[in-house]
Amino acid sequence: MKLLSHTNLKIASLFAAVVFGSAITAMAQDTRVQTSQLDYLTAKASSTVDVNIDERLIQLTAKFLSTKNPDEASVKEVVNGLKGIYVRSFEFEKENEYSLADLESIRSQLRGPGWSRIVNVSSRKEGNVEVYLMINGSQIGGLAVLASEPKELTVVNVIGPVDLEKLTKLEGQFGIPELEIESSKTKRKN
């Protein structure tokens, strides 16, 4: 009788571990924006950026960042706890090399549970920028940026706890483009 109970306990524990592990994996997959449907754009683009940094690579890279160098220390602080940084960017010689269906394939994922669009900037001449957050309870579990210009398409996906104030420290790092914030432009002109 004892052996049967012990075996049942092991089976129940194994089942719970598999279910819990699957739930964590499903959450991570929901946060990761799939961009493989855009692969065909590589042949049309004059230049491309494809950054795939998973948690293992983030941790490895962070080990080489110096805590003595203020810039490196701040980047190390920002990436601590991140599960992935993924960037896909296509630059084209001519306008309209990508379609509205390409944009919709990304947007449809970002309409899923947990995602909220927090920024939508539209300009006929300059393009659009959309920023989405994945909210897990009271924490931000991920970030996605979809930037579309007449000759450029960029998708940035950061997975893991995101501190929006610290995130700007990643500009120019890991393939994340410089953000053009209006107040910064005004300051540079003055």
Side-chain angles (χ1 to χ4, degrees):
M1 189 75 169
K2 237 181 182 181
L3 180 61
L4 185 59
S5 297
H6 186 66
T7 303
N8 286 342
L9 184 60
K10 279 186 173 179
I11 291 171
S13 297
L14 180 61
F15 179 76
V18 168
V19 169
F20 183 69
S22 297
I24 289 173
T25 302
M27 278 179 51
Q29 288 174 343
D30 289 342
T31 307
R32 171 100 189 254
V33 176
Q34 300 302 314
T35 59
S36 59
Q37 67 276 19
L38 303 176
D39 287 348
Y40 82 97
L41 293 174
T42 301
K44 293 180 170 189
S46 57
S47 68
T48 63
V49 173
D50 189 2
V51 176
N52 294 289
I53 304 174
D54 62 10
E55 182 177 18
R56 180 181 48 84
L57 286 173
I58 289 173
Q59 291 173 356
L60 181 64
T61 304
K63 287 180 184 179
F64 294 105
L65 296 173
S66 171
T67 54
K68 294 177 183 175
N69 178 321
D71 291 336
E72 290 183 16
S74 65
V75 169
K76 189 172 189 169
E77 181 185 352
V78 172
V79 299
N80 185 33
L82 292 183
K83 307 295 181 206
I85 300 171
Y86 304 93
V87 179
R88 291 292 302 267
S89 186
F90 305 92
E91 202 169 314
F92 307 99
E93 294 289 327
K94 297 182 285 183
E95 292 184 6
N96 303 317
E97 289 290 319
Y98 62 90
S99 69
L100 291 176
D102 296 325
L103 296 174
E104 185 54 32
S105 70
I106 303 300
R107 285 184 184 126
S108 67
Q109 296 175 62
L110 298 171
R111 283 197 280 289
W115 284 107
S116 296
R117 184 169 68 183
I118 61 165
V119 174
N120 183 29
V121 179
S122 269
S123 168
R124 284 188 184 179
K125 290 181 181 180
E126 295 178 21
N128 304 315
V129 176
E130 300 169 50
V131 179
Y132 297 82
L133 293 179
M134 168 64 82
I135 307 295
N136 294 325
S138 62
Q139 288 190 331
I140 298 172
L143 169 102
V145 178
L146 176 59
S148 54
E149 298 177 17
K151 293 183 180 181
E152 190 172 346
L153 175 62
T154 301
V155 180
V156 177
N157 186 206
V158 178
I159 300 172
V162 176
D163 182 336
L164 294 177
E165 290 180 27
K166 294 177 183 175
L167 190 63
T168 57
K169 294 177 184 176
L170 289 181
E171 291 177 318
Q173 306 288 331
F174 304 106
I176 296 175
E178 296 285 336
L179 299 174
E180 295 180 14
I181 300 171
E182 197 60 42
S183 61
S184 299
K185 288 181 184 177
T186 306
K187 287 178 186 174
R188 282 186 223 144
K189 288 179 183 177
N190 294 333

